[in-house]
């Protein structure tokens, strides 16, 4: 899995039939080098008008596929199939378009394994949001936990899975995750992210700017709904954020993430939130959520889950579901008209 934070490739091994999880195995992260991360971030801006044969894109795809090949080989465990998400460079479900890049054919050829990929396109073509895809995996992990429960992933974008007392699912992107704050740190302090929340903690959120950010129409729309990594570009540009100091801007963006998560609407309030994704390492975000939600909030490690490997594990789980013809998206998770199988398998 390579997520919207553009920080690298997570890989994980698991033993599953797509319903039950028999065992977890090793996992790892291969961080992208600075040049690839820079080039992929530039491609996000170009993607709406980018041709599929653009040499800048092809060069980046070759390099990110290299990382995925290395990740699979580094796990060094026998496997039946690879789940390959690819790198999202554009997500516009309202226009029936979602675009994940990566060379599945080359990955299959160089690893000697079939590759399940293109997990989102069928859902988007049918009118769904194509995201989030993790809810069915969250439900499998949380099968024996008390409910109602919310499982929150804070990546570049934040998404949540609500699991009701009877096991019913509701899922959607809540709003920004780390993405805007990462971009702010890159521009203002030359760092790829706000390590330990240090920059945000040193500033004060500007309440007027925050109110303008939270007025974005996305937050009034009901779930299921999903976002592109750069979805709030115009709102951010018009908010007055750029007039703030580096520390106050970071504090405001952290508050934007916290408040947009807290504004999520569910059939009933979750009794507990479990948090995964890179954002769980940011104490400003996690402590802010605790103060705002007023229920237990903690990292997924509290239940023995691996928050760094969870999304990579998910795509192994989804690969097994694709291989066995099980659905991966549902009306209450993506807004699809019916439960859909999705995904394609690239053979050798």
């Amino acid at each position: 899995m390579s997520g919207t934070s553009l920080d690298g490739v997570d890989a994980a091994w698991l033993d599953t039939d797509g319903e039950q999880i028999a065992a977890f195995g090793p996992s790892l992260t291969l961080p992208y080098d600075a040049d690839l991360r820079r080039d992929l971030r530039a491609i996000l801006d170009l993607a709406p008008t980018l041709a599929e044969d653009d040499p800048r894109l092809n060069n980046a795809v070759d390099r990110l596929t290299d990382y995925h090949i290395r990740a699979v080989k580094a796990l060094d465990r026998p496997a039946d199939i690879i789940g390959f998400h690819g790198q999202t460079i554009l997500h516009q479900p309202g226009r029936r378009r979602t675009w994940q890049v990566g060379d599945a054919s080359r990955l299959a050829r160089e690893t000697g394994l079939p590759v399940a990929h293109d997990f989102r396109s069928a859902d988007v073509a049918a009118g769904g949001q194509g995201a989030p895809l993790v809810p069915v995996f969250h439900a499998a992990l949380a099968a024996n936990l008390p409910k109602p429960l919310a499982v929150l992933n804070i990546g570049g974008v934040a998404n949540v899975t609500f699991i009701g007392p009877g096991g019913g699912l509701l899922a959607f992107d809540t709003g920004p995750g780390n993405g805007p704050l990462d971009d702010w740190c890159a521009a203002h302090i030359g760092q790829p992210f706000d390590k330990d929340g240090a920059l945000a903690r040193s500033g004060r959120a500007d309440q007027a700017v925050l109110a303008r950010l939270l007025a974005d129409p996305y937050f009034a729309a009901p779930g299921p709904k999903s976002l592109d990594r750069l979805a709030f570009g115009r709102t951010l540009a018009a908010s007055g954020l750029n007039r703030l100091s580096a520390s106050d801007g970071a504090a405001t963006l952290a508050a934007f993430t916290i408040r947009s998560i807290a504004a999520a609407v569910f059939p009933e309030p979750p009794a507990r939130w479990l948090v995964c994704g890179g954002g769980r390492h940011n104490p400003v975000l996690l402590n802010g959520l605790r103060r705002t939600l007023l229920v237990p909030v903690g990292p997924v490690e509290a239940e023995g889950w691996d928050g760094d490997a969870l999304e990579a594990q998910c795509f192994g789980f989804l690969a097994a579901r694709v291989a066995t013809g099980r659905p991966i998206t549902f009306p209450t998770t993506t807004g699809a008209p019916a439960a859909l199988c999705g995904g394609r398998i690239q053979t050798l």
Side-chain angles (χ1 to χ4, degrees):
M1 173 64 181
S2 178
T4 49
S5 291
L6 304 176
D7 50 4
V9 177
D10 297 325
W13 183 98
L14 73 164
D15 181 1
T16 181
D17 62 358
E19 289 285 350
Q20 306 295 321
I21 303 166
F24 292 104
S27 63
L28 58 85
T29 296
L30 293 182
Y32 286 152
D33 62 79
D35 288 345
L36 178 56
R37 182 170 182 161
R38 181 200 63 226
D39 293 347
L40 287 171
R41 180 60 185 81
I43 284 169
L44 296 187
D45 292 320
L46 298 170
T49 58
L50 195 65
E52 292 189 11
D53 61 353
D54 190 293
R56 293 167 294 183
L57 177 61
N58 291 337
N59 179 270
V61 167
D62 284 345
R63 289 147 61 202
L64 73 89
T65 303
D66 286 341
Y67 273 91
H68 285 80
I69 293 166
R70 286 170 48 203
V72 171
K73 291 182 176 180
L75 284 176
D76 194 26
R77 292 289 291 267
D80 301 305
I81 193 167
I82 297 169
F84 176 40
H85 176 268
Q87 182 68 60
T88 297
I89 62 168
L90 185 70
H91 186 65
Q92 296 177 329
R95 300 182 181 182
R96 303 284 176 104
R97 189 180 186 196
T98 187
W99 193 0
Q100 288 76 45
V101 297
D103 190 338
S105 176
R106 184 172 158 229
L107 181 60
R109 187 169 63 250
E110 297 205 22
T111 60
L113 293 169
V115 174
H117 67 113
D118 194 21
F119 293 95
R120 301 186 191 273
S121 294
D123 186 87
V124 170
Q129 291 290 307
L133 294 179
V134 289
V136 68
F137 181 59
H138 287 159
L141 288 173
N144 297 318
L145 296 183
K147 303 175 180 71
L149 173 70
V151 183
L152 174 69
N153 176 62
I154 308 178
V157 169
N159 59 71
V160 67
T161 300
F162 172 84
I163 310 172
L169 297 176
L170 174 64
F172 50 91
D173 289 346
T174 60
N178 304 312
L181 182 55
D182 288 352
D183 290 346
W184 181 266
C185 289
H188 289 80
I189 60 172
Q191 299 295 324
F193 64 99
D194 187 11
K195 183 172 175 59
D196 298 325
L199 185 63
R201 189 167 51 247
S202 68
R204 294 184 65 179
D206 185 295
Q207 296 303 314
V209 172
L210 181 58
R212 287 192 282 272
L213 293 173
L214 291 167
D216 188 287
Y218 180 81
F219 301 112
K225 54 185 178 177
S226 67
L227 290 162
D228 183 73
R229 166 69 162 72
L230 303 183
F232 295 104
R234 291 182 180 177
T235 298
L236 289 163
S239 68
L241 182 74
N242 285 330
R243 294 195 295 270
L244 303 182
S245 67
S247 57
D248 287 353
T252 303
L253 289 172
F256 185 28
T257 294
I258 293 162
R259 291 278 298 277
S260 59
I261 291 168
V265 176
F266 306 109
E268 57 186 293
R272 182 187 184 194
W273 291 66
L274 289 172
V275 187
C276 59
R280 81 190 190 289
H281 296 303
N282 185 326
V284 171
L285 296 181
L286 215 58
N287 290 333
L289 288 169
R290 290 180 178 123
R291 289 192 299 270
T292 306
L293 295 169
L294 302 177
V295 296
V297 176
V300 295
E301 282 77 6
E303 291 299 333
W305 305 357
D306 186 338
D308 291 321
L310 192 144
E311 288 214 328
Q313 293 167 347
C314 171
F315 282 92
F317 183 82
L318 294 181
R321 292 184 71 86
V322 172
T324 55
R326 292 179 167 97
I328 63 173
T329 60
F330 307 87
T332 59
T333 63
T334 65
L340 298 174
C341 293
R344 295 186 291 146
I345 295 180
Q346 175 68 51
T347 55
L348 305 182

